[in-house]
Amino acid sequence: MIDGIPGIAAPAGMSGITGITNTIQTIVPPVQPGQEEKPTELGEVKDSTFGSLFTGLIQNVKDTDAEFTQAQYLLATGQLENPVQMGIAAYKNEIAVDLLVQMRNKALDAYNELKNMSV
């Protein structure tokens, strides 16, 4: 009999993985020239489109990781009705992490390109 994964506890009231939710954010139109605001504090950067994009990506990674951890726990305790759900959760987590890493790399490439521009 499997006792579970050490250090992983099932959240109260969670009996299994539920349906897939749509986490795609809506596209915001670009700001017209003269309307853009210059963020002055770190808190204001989170409110920008760029900041909210990365905040959303990070939250997506956290959510998919929690879903994968829950699926692992349920499989280890024998409560998972369909073992394929764990594979799906693992794949979703892998895709979310890959997307975050690729977006970070593209942002760093763009920053380095702007930094190396001569004025």
Side-chain angles (χ1 to χ4, degrees):
M1 180 173 182
I2 299 174
D3 292 327
I5 299 173
I8 299 176
M14 296 293 287
S15 61
I17 298 175
T18 58
I20 298 172
T21 58
N22 185 3
T23 58
I24 299 174
Q25 297 178 354
T26 58
I27 297 174
V28 180
V31 178
Q32 297 295 326
Q35 292 180 344
E36 60 268 340
E37 295 179 12
K38 307 264 191 265
T40 57
E41 295 181 14
L42 185 59
E44 292 179 14
V45 173
K46 292 180 182 177
D47 295 334
S48 70
T49 304
F50 185 78
S52 65
L53 173 74
F54 277 97
T55 303
L57 288 172
I58 292 169
Q59 186 60 44
N60 190 20
V61 168
K62 289 179 182 179
D63 293 343
T64 56
D65 186 53
E67 183 179 338
F68 177 57
T69 303
Q70 177 68 17
Q72 283 179 322
Y73 173 79
L74 292 174
L75 183 68
T77 58
Q79 299 174 20
L80 192 62
E81 295 176 11
N82 186 0
V84 174
Q85 290 176 330
M86 194 189 85
I88 292 170
Y91 189 67
K92 283 172 54 178
N93 188 26
E94 181 183 346
I95 294 294
V97 170
D98 286 345
L99 177 63
L100 178 62
V101 168
Q102 288 180 13
M103 292 295 291
R104 181 208 59 160
N105 290 343
K106 290 292 181 183
L108 286 175
D109 289 344
Y111 172 75
N112 287 330
E113 185 105 4
L114 289 172
K115 185 174 72 169
N116 293 331
M117 278 185 172
S118 61
V119 182

